Amino acid sequence: QVQLQESGPGLVKPSETLSLTCTVSGGPVTSGSHYWSWVRQPPGKGLEWIGNIFYNGNTDYNPSLKGRISISIDTSKNTFFLKVNSVTAADTAVYYCARDGYKGLDYWGPGTLVSISS
Amino acid sequence: EIVLTQSPGTLSLSPGERVTLSCRASQTVSNRNYLAWYQQKPGQAPRLLIYEASYRASGIPDRFSGSGSGTDFTLTISTLEPEDFAVYYCQQYGRSPWTFGQGTKVEIK
């Protein structure tokens, strides 16, 4: 059973960089059948796909966030990462990591709330 | 990007009723109908219910079914159970960027 777990600071100051880690267990991130995605959800609002990464490092980002986001992967640690630069209050959200493939987003982490505030 | 519009925004229903949720795309999703449905309860991550428009994900009860193709998709719950009261999202993953509908809340009447 694949499991994902997000980790990182719960509070980030405006204009700084939000950094999150997603640790995957129960299956390798090097699966050639899956990408690894980040999704976020502002409090009380809907879901927004941020972007994804393949095990070889190929990435695809949502243009609405392009220029501010970076997704990377460490196959040796079965882990992938999200960085969002120059954050504002609008980046306050629950951030989820998920496995991404022909079945859509089939496994999700529990999510982590990141608040942007001074 | 593909815009997904879900309707209605909220449904007030009683257990035992049949539920039909709609998801309409601004353009064809893909030739593989890469359209998924998720259920989300408060404080929880979304759970995959349906993928490729009509295939139930592992462990999903058969009261959930999906249909549609092209731009019009439907999620049906044949008989509403108490645990089905939640928010439901559709998502297309055929054309980047992946996009979600705004959600339909199914609440207890």
Side-chain angles (χ1 to χ4, degrees):
Chain A
Q1 176 82 348
V2 173
Q3 293 186 313
L4 298 93
Q5 179 68 55
E6 306 87 354
S7 59
L11 181 64
V12 179
K13 290 182 168 56
S15 79
E16 296 190 346
T17 296
L18 179 163
S19 297
L20 294 176
T21 298
C22 182
T23 302
V24 180
S25 59
V29 296
T30 52
S31 161
S33 302
H34 297 100
Y35 289 74
W36 303 92
S37 269
W38 288 97
V39 176
R40 70 180 184 179
Q41 184 172 37
K45 296 188 177 180
L47 299 162
E48 179 182 34
W49 180 75
I50 298 170
N52 65 17
I53 190 165
F54 199 52
Y55 75 92
N56 64 359
N58 286 350
T59 54
D60 187 16
Y61 298 145
N62 192 326
S64 68
L65 292 161
K66 204 166 186 177
R68 291 203 301 129
I69 62 172
S70 173
I71 299 175
S72 57
I73 194 165
D74 185 337
T75 57
S76 68
K77 294 182 179 178
N78 228 38
T79 300
F80 62 107
F81 310 92
L82 171 69
K83 289 187 185 297
V84 183
N85 301 320
S86 306
V87 296
T88 69
D91 295 308
T92 293
V94 175
Y95 286 77
Y96 297 100
C97 56
R99 192 176 79 166
D100 184 349
Y102 78 94
K103 293 185 179 182
L105 303 170
D106 58 352
Y107 289 96
W108 295 65
T112 187
L113 174 63
V114 181
S115 297
I116 310 302
S117 175
S118 55
Chain B
E1 74 177 41
I2 296 178
V3 176
L4 299 179
T5 303
Q6 292 187 240
S7 60
T10 303
L11 273 174
S12 297
L13 298 166
S14 301
E17 292 196 78
R18 181 182 179 88
V19 184
T20 301
L21 308 181
S22 173
C23 176
R24 178 161 291 176
S26 59
Q27 56 185 284
T28 298
V29 166
S30 73
N31 58 3
R32 290 292 300 272
N33 285 326
Y34 280 153
L35 189 288
W37 289 93
Y38 302 87
Q39 176 193 68
Q40 187 179 35
K41 297 179 180 179
Q44 296 184 16
R47 177 174 71 142
L48 176 68
L49 299 175
I50 301 289
Y51 66 93
E52 286 190 57
S54 61
Y55 295 92
R56 264 188 306 277
S58 176
I60 301 304
D62 60 7
R63 63 180 182 272
F64 291 92
S65 63
S67 63
S69 65
T71 61
D72 288 302
F73 301 89
T74 299
L75 174 70
T76 300
I77 310 173
S78 59
T79 305
L80 201 57
E81 297 289 339
E83 61 268 29
D84 299 336
F85 291 95
V87 178
Y88 292 84
Y89 293 95
C90 58
Q91 179 229 353
Q92 68 80 23
Y93 54 104
R95 299 179 196 272
S96 180
W98 304 167
T99 50
F100 291 89
Q102 81 279 18
T104 291
K105 183 178 182 179
V106 177
E107 63 179 23
I108 299 175
K109 188 173 183 180

